[in-house]
Amino acid sequence: MAKKLNVGLIGYGFMARTHSNAYCKVNHFFDVPYEPALRVVCGLEDKVAKAFAERWGYKSHTTDWHKVIEDEKVDLVDICVPNNVHAEIAIAAAKAGKAIICEKPLALDGAQAKTMVDAVEKAGVANFVSFNYRRVPAVTLAKMLIDEGRLGRIFHYRANFLQDWTISANVPQGGMATWRLDVKAAGSGVTGDLLAHCIDTAMWQNGQITTVCAMTETFIKQRMHVETGKPEAVGIDDACTFLCRFDNGSLGNFESTRYARGHKALYTFEINGEKASIAWDLHDLHRLSYFDHADESIVRGWRSIHVTDGDMPYMGKWWVPGLQIGYEHTFVHQLADFLEGLGQGKPASPTFREALATQYVCDAVLASAKDKQWKTVKKA
Ligand code: SOE
């Protein structure tokens, strides 16, 4: 019998929906030791929080996050609010002995993320950061193939995360839907928002990034601020490209922008090893491209593996071979792993400390772009 785990969700936006959907689904598909019970949702506007609670089945709602932390019945605090409030909430939740799930990136920067790591480790509470793309079955399969040594020595890792939703100068900054363009709320632009995903996946698959050399650009220098109603300077990076070295000697090449007309959320990576290569594309997320040099030459070529069979990561829990799953399932998978880890006392990855490592890479990337110099990445 799964034990009840009372959830206090802070935030009612896009990510709060993905997490709520996972809470509703996880026990239908995975045999995990806990069953989430939706106790309270918190958001700034009472009416919106109430509607969210009714739609998803939260027992109550509040506009004050302190009430979620003070509620003795809440076991797990889930942080789905803008980046600038992650630290305050997470540190209070850790002090109150709650398990914590936090949306990515962990914080505004490495220094702030470190205070969160210290708080959860001192309190000894379970902690997890939602870098969901690791749990796309094809991405998990890529990690398995690398760990099995099928690629041999790795030479190159390249990743892109391309979007186009901020090209218009009329898109404002700040507020509920566009806080990611406000540096005070987001900490950075594409580096913390999109490249953080690529960096998390890359370091999970290919080890620590040690040095970086980056360039960034802010194409639109002023945008109307939703809160002040006035045009204000834009402080985020609209685009960022960086080169890096990994600890294992391989070279990395990363690019992200919100100005790639025609691309909505195109996350791709390709890894080239001595024996084989792997490529993946979020727009075709259930397929993994694989090239194995050991294949007989007359049939050698890129294979397109349809990752739907029951012996592929997570897929045995879903439908039958050939039938696909999608984006929302990555949140169910990470929740299942988190709950399993909680039951076994073995934390699921990425923990706050692992997310701190990603944050340090982001810091080094932004510092490199600013100083026009190679930077060494701090170790978490
Ligand atoms: C930004 O547009 C965004 O929603 C990111 O914040 C998410 O992390 C990414 O998965 C999709 O794009």
Side-chain angles (χ1 to χ4, degrees):
M1 268 288 281
K3 277 191 256 166
K4 200 160 119 178
L5 188 79
N6 284 309
V7 177
L9 174 70
I10 305 180
Y12 50 40
F14 165 34
M15 280 303 128
R17 291 168 58 229
T18 62
H19 290 213
S20 297
N21 180 54
Y23 292 127
C24 296
K25 299 249 170 81
V26 70
N27 298 97
H28 291 140
F29 293 93
F30 289 82
D31 300 316
V32 284
Y34 288 96
E35 182 174 357
L38 305 184
R39 182 165 172 84
V40 55
V41 60
C42 170
L44 286 177
E45 278 184 52
D46 186 77
K47 217 168 70 187
V48 185
K50 182 168 185 285
F52 192 98
E54 282 165 6
R55 176 179 289 257
W56 289 100
Y58 285 84
K59 264 196 174 156
S60 61
H61 71 280
T62 174
T63 55
D64 179 2
W65 64 260
H66 298 91
K67 293 223 170 88
V68 177
I69 311 276
E70 284 157 16
D71 182 340
E72 281 180 6
K73 292 242 164 74
V74 167
D75 303 302
L76 168 69
V77 172
D78 186 348
I79 305 172
C80 289
V81 286
N83 307 342
N84 60 332
V85 264
H86 288 184
E88 199 185 352
I89 299 174
I91 292 167
K95 281 192 185 143
K98 315 286 188 194
I100 309 170
I101 293 180
C102 185
E103 252 311 313
K104 46 58 61 176
L106 184 55
L108 293 175
D109 56 31
Q112 197 183 49
K114 176 71 169 58
T115 64
M116 298 165 77
V117 172
D118 290 345
V120 292
E121 290 184 355
K122 182 165 175 224
V125 295
N127 54 92
F128 179 81
V129 181
S130 172
F131 279 109
N132 62 300
Y133 294 114
R134 285 186 184 202
R135 266 97 179 176
V136 173
V139 176
T140 312
L141 180 63
K143 157 85 171 153
M144 282 170 54
L145 299 178
I146 296 166
D147 287 353
E148 285 174 8
R150 288 177 189 252
L151 274 66
R153 179 177 167 193
I154 292 177
F155 300 118
H156 294 286
Y157 194 108
R158 60 185 77 78
N160 286 325
F161 206 137
L162 312 178
Q163 299 188 331
D164 71 355
W165 62 282
T166 65
I167 292 179
S168 165
N170 295 330
V171 177
Q173 58 172 314
M176 172 81 184
T178 45
W179 62 265
R180 284 185 174 79
L181 277 68
D182 176 3
V183 73
K184 289 197 264 358
S188 69
V190 294
T191 301
D193 186 31
L194 303 178
L195 281 174
H197 278 302
C198 306
I199 295 164
D200 172 74
T201 316
M203 294 211 289
W204 179 57
Q205 293 174 331
N206 195 38
Q208 178 70 38
I209 292 174
T210 52
T211 53
V212 300
C213 176
M215 63 177 175
T216 57
E217 184 53 70
T218 304
F219 295 114
I220 296 191
K221 311 283 186 210
Q222 272 207 337
R223 290 184 186 272
M224 189 65 79
H225 200 291
V226 171
E227 279 146 31
T228 63
K230 293 192 199 120
E232 285 182 22
V234 174
I236 57 149
D237 43 304
D238 286 337
C240 176
T241 302
F242 76 92
L243 304 175
C244 68
R245 287 184 183 276
F246 287 84
D247 207 24
N248 64 4
S250 58
L251 305 182
N253 194 337
F254 291 74
E255 183 195 5
S256 185
T257 179
R258 294 181 179 137
Y259 288 70
R261 182 60 89 202
H263 293 302
K264 305 298 164 193
L266 184 70
Y267 175 12
T268 58
F269 62 73
E270 181 169 313
I271 311 163
N272 307 125
E274 184 185 1
K275 299 193 223 162
S277 287
I278 281 175
W280 174 79
D281 169 349
L282 175 59
H283 284 188
D284 208 3
L285 87 180
H286 47 278
R287 287 197 176 270
L288 191 69
S289 299
Y290 183 67
F291 180 96
D292 189 346
H293 190 66
D295 286 344
E296 196 189 343
S297 65
I298 55 166
V299 289
R300 192 189 291 145
W302 281 90
R303 305 175 200 174
S304 175
I305 308 170
H306 197 228
V307 185
T308 62
D309 278 7
D311 56 357
M312 283 159 163
Y314 303 107
M315 290 311 297
K317 301 292 181 190
W318 295 101
W319 317 118
V320 294
L323 303 187
Q324 293 162 201
I325 58 167
Y327 169 77
E328 70 271 29
H329 301 82
T330 63
F331 293 90
V332 182
H333 299 163
Q334 68 178 17
L335 179 62
D337 289 345
F338 174 79
L339 296 176
E340 193 56 49
L342 206 56
Q344 292 185 7
K346 259 209 263 154
S349 177
T351 59
F352 277 23
R353 184 167 286 279
E354 287 165 293
L356 173 64
T358 293
Q359 199 91 49
Y360 282 154
V361 177
C362 293
D363 283 3
V365 162
L366 294 168
S368 164
K370 187 161 163 268
D371 299 348
K372 299 187 173 62
Q373 277 173 1
W374 278 87
K375 295 282 172 184
T376 299
V377 176
K378 206 166 155 182
K379 288 226 172 82

